[in-house]
Amino acid sequence: MSPPADPQWQDPMEPQVATIMVTVQPARWNGTWHPDPKPQWIVPLQGRWYVRAMDGTRVEMGPGDILFGEDQGVRPMETGPYRGKKGHDAGNIGKGPVTLMVIQSANAPIPNQPCRYH
């Protein structure tokens, strides 16, 4: 980042406003189906939780993992086992609470394009 460190590749993003929060989901928390309120990074700090996408893909995460959610404006599924659902399903795994750090961007989502954070 700065001398005397060795050179490295960087891709600076345009300045943006973000809200950073820590949320504690109680034991057996279930978020049901919902879209993210804003484009956001989610970093598990304690416990394990899952996210299920509209295509049925389920990912379990814990400390050391990171997720970027940008499913605002998504349309409900028209067919299949998740018909009428939109966004993602999420919930806790295990009997304890889950602590997450959430970094929400004030920038609008960018539909129909690859992730801007690469």
Side-chain angles (χ1 to χ4, degrees):
M1 298 295 280
S2 60
D6 288 339
Q8 58 184 303
W9 180 85
Q10 297 175 356
D11 185 16
M13 297 181 297
E14 293 192 26
Q16 56 183 303
V17 175
T19 299
I20 300 172
M21 69 183 94
V22 173
T23 180
V24 179
Q25 300 166 338
R28 295 186 253 313
W29 178 86
N30 186 310
T32 67
W33 285 91
H34 64 282
D36 290 305
K38 296 180 179 186
Q40 60 188 14
W41 294 96
I42 302 174
V43 182
L45 302 175
Q46 176 186 356
R48 293 193 58 77
W49 70 299
Y50 74 90
V51 175
R52 183 184 351 263
M54 292 170 61
D55 68 359
T57 302
R58 179 181 156 134
V59 177
E60 296 184 5
M61 289 170 274
D65 295 320
I66 187 168
L67 170 77
F68 180 68
E70 190 175 35
D71 59 2
Q72 301 80 28
V74 67
R75 294 184 304 264
M77 292 293 287
E78 294 181 12
T79 60
Y82 303 112
R83 183 175 177 226
K85 309 292 185 190
K86 68 177 190 173
H88 60 276
D89 178 29
N92 292 358
I93 300 169
K95 298 179 181 179
V98 173
T99 303
L100 306 171
M101 179 173 62
V102 180
I103 305 165
Q104 291 184 333
S105 173
N107 292 7
I110 300 177
N112 302 318
Q113 292 185 17
C115 181
R116 70 188 110 179
Y117 305 106
H118 52 79

